[in-house]
């Protein structure tokens, strides 16, 4: 067996052993990720502390059958700035795209103040890893995970196509709902041949004021236009 393969396997074995000896302490290793524990109906929670600059705490969570979206909140527990970065990985360790107040589709969200909030489309039964990286030493935090059933996923990859109102009419529509604070609904649409202009608007069903941010993007995710409807 090559020396490099032997060293890697030994390192993995040592990291697993360390997590078994002291399972209450989170570490910079995804293999030692602590499970996020149930904390009410469709809620899970865990706590952590940034003991050194750039420290990474790992947490694991399995999406239950009745949800398709995870809403993550990282809140400062005490004094100091949260000053942390959130990343989400799937069971293979690959980055998962999610939505935050600072980006539509991203694999990393930075929080400086007291709280960070992101939402992510999930697959029931899939195991996920939450990576919390902190800069401010001595800051404690609480991670809350809420499982939700979103009407439309908050990602380009899981958007639901707009439906044409009637054959022959150049009008497409879809009803939706804002299910949580950072909810973003995506609707793919293919422009018919000869289309040179498109008008997009959104209105509440009950007629009350509704001013969502509406973005038009191409298939590569490049923003073409935006406004408030």
């Amino acid at each position: 067996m090559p020396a490099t393969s032997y060293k890697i396997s030994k390192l993995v074995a040592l990291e697993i052993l360390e997590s078994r000896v002291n399972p209450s302490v989170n570490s910079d290793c995804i293999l030692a990720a602590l499970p996020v524990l149930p904390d009410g109906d469709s809620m899970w929670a865990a706590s952590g502390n940034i003991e050194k600059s750039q420290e990474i705490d790992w947490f694991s969570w399995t999406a239950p059958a009745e949800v398709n979206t995870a809403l993550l909140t990282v809140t400062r527990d005490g004094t100091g700035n949260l000053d942390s970065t959130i990343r989400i990985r799937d069971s293979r360790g690959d980055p998962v795209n999610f939505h935050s107040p600072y980006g539509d589709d991203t694999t990393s969200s930075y929080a400086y103040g007291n709280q960070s909030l992101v939402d992510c489309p999930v697959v029931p039964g899939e195991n996920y890893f939450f990576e919390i990286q902190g800069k401010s030493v001595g800051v404690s935090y609480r991670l809350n995970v809420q499982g939700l059933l979103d009407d439309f996923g908050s990602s380009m990859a899981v958007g639901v196509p707009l439906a044409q109102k009637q054959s022959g009419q150049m009008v497409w529509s879809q009803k939706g709902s804002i299910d949580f604070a950072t909810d973003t609904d995506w609707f793919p649409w293919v422009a018919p041949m000869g289309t040179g202009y498109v008008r997009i608007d959104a209105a509440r069903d009950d007629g009350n004021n509704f001013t969502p941010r509406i973005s038009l993007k191409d298939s590569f995710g490049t923003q073409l236009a935006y406004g408030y409807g």
Side-chain angles (χ1 to χ4, degrees):
M1 180 181 295
T4 52
S5 298
Y6 176 78
K7 289 180 180 179
I8 291 174
S9 63
K10 288 291 287 183
L11 175 62
V12 170
L14 287 172
E15 287 171 335
I16 294 175
L17 178 61
E18 180 182 3
S19 67
R20 289 175 178 172
V21 171
N22 192 4
S24 63
V25 178
N26 209 350
S27 78
D28 289 354
C29 175
I30 192 172
L31 296 173
L34 297 180
V36 183
L37 301 178
D39 188 43
D41 187 24
S42 295
M43 297 287 294
W44 294 260
S47 297
N49 180 267
I50 303 302
E51 299 175 344
K52 59 184 179 181
S53 183
Q54 303 301 328
E55 174 180 303
I56 298 176
D57 290 344
W58 289 94
F59 300 93
S60 63
W61 175 76
T62 301
E66 66 275 10
V67 308
N68 62 7
T69 302
L71 182 64
L72 275 68
T73 307
V74 180
T75 307
R76 184 190 68 191
D77 187 10
T79 59
N81 286 313
L82 187 57
D83 207 15
S84 66
T85 299
I86 301 175
R87 300 181 184 90
I88 303 175
R89 298 181 183 273
D90 60 20
S91 58
R92 297 169 295 280
D94 296 328
V96 174
N97 276 19
F98 57 85
H99 176 262
S100 81
Y102 313 106
D104 293 328
D105 254 340
T106 181
T107 57
S108 181
S109 179
Y110 175 74
Y112 180 74
N114 301 330
Q115 186 181 77
S116 181
L117 179 68
V118 305
D119 61 86
C120 173
V122 297
V123 178
E126 177 82 8
N127 193 42
Y128 293 89
F129 295 96
F130 306 138
E131 176 184 345
I132 312 297
Q133 183 175 19
K135 292 182 179 180
S136 298
V137 178
V139 175
S140 298
Y141 63 87
R142 179 177 174 85
L143 168 64
N144 290 291
V145 182
Q146 182 179 4
L148 299 168
L149 186 60
D150 189 12
D151 56 349
F152 302 108
S154 297
S155 169
M156 290 179 64
V158 294
V160 176
L162 292 173
Q164 191 168 9
K165 273 196 169 183
Q166 185 176 338
S167 179
Q169 289 188 356
M170 300 288 281
V171 179
W172 292 258
S173 66
Q174 185 65 262
K175 287 188 176 182
S177 64
I178 302 301
D179 299 304
F180 47 90
T182 59
D183 191 11
T184 301
D185 293 340
W186 289 87
F187 304 100
W189 175 73
V190 179
M193 292 293 294
T195 301
Y197 174 83
V198 59
R199 176 185 173 185
I200 309 170
D201 58 54
R204 281 181 58 159
D205 282 344
D206 57 14
N208 291 330
N209 291 332
F210 181 51
T211 55
R213 186 180 191 274
I214 303 174
S215 297
L216 176 64
K217 300 191 175 186
D218 63 18
S219 57
F220 299 101
T222 303
Q223 184 166 276
L224 305 178
Y226 76 92
Y228 295 87

